[in-house]
C-alpha cells in the first residue's frame, strides 16, 4: 500500500500524497455485507450470517448516514449492481440512506459484467446526480470492476499478461479501477462543492489469497485514504 508496484495505481498514489493514508488498516471480514456495516455503523463482523441478513439486524443502528441526515444532509447510495443483493438497500434505508441508484437505473446494454456496470459509467452517473443536489450531502459510492470474475476491464487497460505476473488479472482490474478513480477526480475538481468535501476511500473487504494458514491476516489488509482539498 502506498506507492504501488509496477505503477498499477498511479491515481490513488497521487491522491495519497495530498491526503491522509492509513497503511496499517484492516477489514472486519471478507464480504461486502460485513464491510458496509463496519464502515457505516462501526459494527464488528459476527460469526455466521451477516447481521444485515438477520431479523435482529432489521432495526436502526447508530450509523454515519443517520447522524448526518439528522444534521440536514441529503444521503444517498450509488452502486452499479443489484442494490437488493444481501439486503443492502433494506439495511441502508433503515439506517439513514434516503436515495438510491442501482443497476435498474442504467440501460441494459451497458451492463458489461456479471455484477453490473463499469466504474467509469458509475462515476458518470454519480457526477450527474451530485450536480442535482443541494449542499450538504453524503454520497456513498460502491464500485465493482475490480471484483471477481474481473471480466469488465477494457482491453487498453490490460497492461500485464500472464508472462508478467501470475496475478495479472487482478492487477489489470486494479489498474482500470484506478484509472476510473482518476477520471472521477479530474471531473469533480471543477464542481462548486469540491473544496467543501471530505472524500473517504476505503475497501469493503480484502480477498482470499488461498493460503494454507490458520489466520491469513494479509487477506484483511486494505487501504484507507482520507482526502480533503481544503
Amino acid at each position: 500500500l502506498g506507492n504501488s508496484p509496477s505503477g498499477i495505481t498511479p491515481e490513488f498514489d497521487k491522491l495519497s500524497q495530498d491526503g491522509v493514508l492509513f497503511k496499517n488498516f484492516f477489514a472486519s471480514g471478507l464480504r461486502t455485507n460485513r464491510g458496509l456495516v463496519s464502515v457505516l455503523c462501526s459494527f464488528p463482523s459476527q460469526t455466521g450470517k451477516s447481521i444485515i441478513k438477520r431479523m435482529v439486524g432489521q432495526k436502526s443502528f447508530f450509523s454515519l448516514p443517520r447522524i448526518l441526515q439528522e444534521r440536514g444532509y441529503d444521503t444517498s447510495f450509488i452502486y452499479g449492481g443489484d442494490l437488493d443483493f444481501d439486503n443492502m438497500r433494506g439495511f441502508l434505508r433503515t439506517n439513514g440512506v434516503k436515495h438510491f441508484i442501482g443497476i435498474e437505473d442504467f440501460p441494459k446494454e451497458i451492463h458489461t459484467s456479471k455484477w453490473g456496470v463499469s466504474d467509469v459509467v458509475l462515476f458518470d452517473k454519480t457526477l450527474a446526480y451530485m450536480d442535482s443536489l443541494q449542499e450538504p450531502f453524503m454520497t456513498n459510492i460502491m464500485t465493482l470492476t475490480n471484483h471477481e470474475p474481473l471480466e469488465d476491464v477494457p482491453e487498453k487497460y490490460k497492461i500485464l499478461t500472464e508472462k508478467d505476473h501470475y496475478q495479472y488479472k487482478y492487477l489489470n482490474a486494479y489498474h482500470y479501477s484506478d484509472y476510473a478513480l482518476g477520471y472521477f477526480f479530474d471531473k469533480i475538481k471543477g464542481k462548486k462543492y469540491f473544496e467543501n468535501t471530505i472524500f473517504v476511500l476505503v475497501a469493503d473487504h480484502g480477498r482470499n489469497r488461498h493460503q494454507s494458514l490458520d489466520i491469513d491476516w494479509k487477506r484483511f489488509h486494505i487501504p484507507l485514504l482520507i482526502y480533503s482539498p481544503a
Side-chain angles (χ1 to χ4, degrees):
L1 300 174
N3 289 325
S4 58
S6 305
I8 293 298
T9 57
E11 301 299 333
F12 183 87
D13 294 345
K14 282 192 295 185
L15 292 172
S16 69
Q17 299 304 310
D18 295 322
V20 181
L21 177 65
F22 294 80
K23 296 184 179 182
N24 197 29
F25 197 74
F26 296 86
S28 67
L30 291 171
R31 295 289 302 275
T32 297
N33 58 36
R34 317 278 176 156
L36 281 178
V37 189
S38 295
V39 170
L40 298 179
C41 306
S42 295
F43 193 82
S45 184
Q46 306 289 297
T47 57
K49 187 184 293 185
S50 169
I51 194 70
I52 77 173
K53 298 168 68 176
R54 300 185 198 179
M55 285 301 296
V56 69
Q58 308 313 306
K59 61 180 181 179
S60 294
F61 285 66
F62 192 64
S63 70
L64 186 57
R66 183 170 300 285
I67 291 168
L68 293 177
Q69 187 183 58
E70 291 173 351
R71 286 156 176 77
Y73 280 69
D74 186 281
T75 55
S76 55
F77 186 85
I78 302 176
Y79 175 49
D82 181 6
L83 287 164
D84 296 314
F85 183 76
D86 277 354
N87 189 41
M88 286 192 296
R89 185 179 351 223
F91 178 82
L92 293 168
R93 180 179 285 124
T94 302
N95 288 284
V97 177
K98 185 176 181 180
H99 303 292
F100 294 87
I101 292 176
I103 196 169
E104 65 269 21
D105 299 298
F106 297 88
K108 287 187 177 180
E109 59 268 22
I110 62 172
H111 298 179
T112 52
S113 77
K114 170 184 176 181
W115 296 104
V117 302
S118 67
D119 292 355
V120 168
V121 172
L122 178 73
F123 283 137
D124 277 335
K125 174 75 79 172
T126 300
L127 289 162
Y129 175 72
M130 290 196 299
D131 282 346
S132 71
L133 298 176
Q134 297 294 318
E135 297 182 58
F137 60 85
M138 176 194 188
T139 299
N140 302 271
I141 312 162
M142 189 161 75
T143 64
L144 51 71
T145 297
N146 66 348
H147 194 294
E148 292 175 323
L150 310 171
E151 62 187 28
D152 189 28
V153 180
E155 286 298 323
K156 66 178 180 179
Y157 299 104
K158 295 179 180 179
I159 60 173
L160 299 176
T161 67
E162 191 172 8
K163 294 180 181 179
D164 299 312
H165 199 285
Y166 76 103
Q167 291 186 329
Y168 70 101
K169 289 185 178 180
Y170 283 103
L171 296 175
N172 284 335
Y174 297 158
H175 181 64
Y176 170 71
S177 290
D178 183 72
Y179 160 77
L181 188 67
Y183 173 88
F184 174 74
F185 275 98
D186 283 344
K187 297 284 186 180
I188 206 172
K189 282 179 180 177
K191 306 295 184 181
K192 59 183 176 61
Y193 52 80
F194 176 69
E195 291 193 353
N196 297 326
T197 302
I198 298 172
F199 299 90
V200 180
L201 289 77
V202 64
D204 51 347
H205 60 78
R207 64 179 181 84
N208 191 346
R209 302 193 315 136
H210 303 289
Q211 301 290 312
S212 56
L213 303 170
D214 290 337
I215 298 178
D216 181 14
W217 63 269
K218 287 187 177 181
R219 71 192 296 199
F220 299 94
H221 193 198
I222 60 173
L224 167 65
L225 173 62
I226 298 176
Y227 175 75
S228 182

